[in-house]
Amino acid sequence: MKHLHSGKVRDLYELPGGELLIVARDSISAYDHVLDTPIPDKGRILTQLSLWWFERLADVVPNHVVSTDLPDGSPAEWEGRAVVVRRLDMIPVECVARGYLTGGGLKDYRKSGAVCGIVLPEGLEDGSRLPEPIFTPTTKAAVGGHDQPMTYQDVEQLAGAGLASRLRDITMEVYRRGAELALERGVIVADTKIELGLREGELVLGDEVLTPDSSRFWPADDWEPGRSQKSFDKQFVRDWLVSPESGWDPASGTAPPALPAHIVEQTRAKYVEAYERLTGRSWA
Ligand SMILES: N#Cc1c(N)ncnc1-c1cnn(Cc2cccc(F)c2)c1
């Protein structure tokens, strides 16, 4: 099969029949670096979690999944972390919904009191829950660049008013359903990013959905506005990388060091925990 694109933690291939194959790697990224040390089973766990969400959201929006059968000629190690998907005409908008304020949205809010043109109440802090979730689309940055915020009017100009409205409605409903279910199971979904494409004039959910890579997952029992929240899955890695033990400085611009085995194991366990809590299924 033909290799089309490599993302930070996933690769995209073209199959002979014209469909695409998304392969999730066991890579993890932190501080804008893809780490050298893989987290065993991360690719499989996040692929299976995304498939579970695609099924649960099928009444909201159709999805691009065709099959999880490995195409002939695929490496056996791809089993469970490769998905055959329909080729869509992807809409060049990162469709983001935020229920909590942090990251780039917080930065924009502190500068202008608004995010993507949406004025927010005063007094919000890092991690504040928003009065209502908001649609905060961004452009798809080029490799190594950062996504730029878009106003809703920008989306209308790019996709037309009708499509823009559908993009927003679908994004907000996917977020609402995901955040509600996750919170019942002790996980805050602070924000999530989905990608939508067109197939025969119909909007179809692409990419991955409601995984810790496409969304910010926070442990609900640790939530405290006014400071940066702990990441459900990446906190052990983040803390170790800035600890004296690692000897690394994020500001140095150098590549981070390899992770010690105990950090890898604790991080793998968090992915298993996220899968089991959300789906109610045992990972074993
Ligand atoms: N999903 C999907 C998809 C589709 N169903 N049809 C056409 N294009 C795409 C598509 C193009 N880029 N990406 C991002 C991406 C995802 C996964 C791995 C990567 F390397 C890069 C998605």
Side-chain angles (χ1 to χ4, degrees), residues 253-271:
T254 60
L259 300 174
H262 71 281
I263 297 296
V264 171
E265 281 145 28
Q266 288 172 60
T267 302
R268 178 186 179 282
K270 294 307 287 184
Y271 286 115

Side-chain angles (χ1 to χ4, degrees), residues 70 83 179 203 230 247:
L70 264 193
V83 184
L203 270 177
K230 294 203 178 313

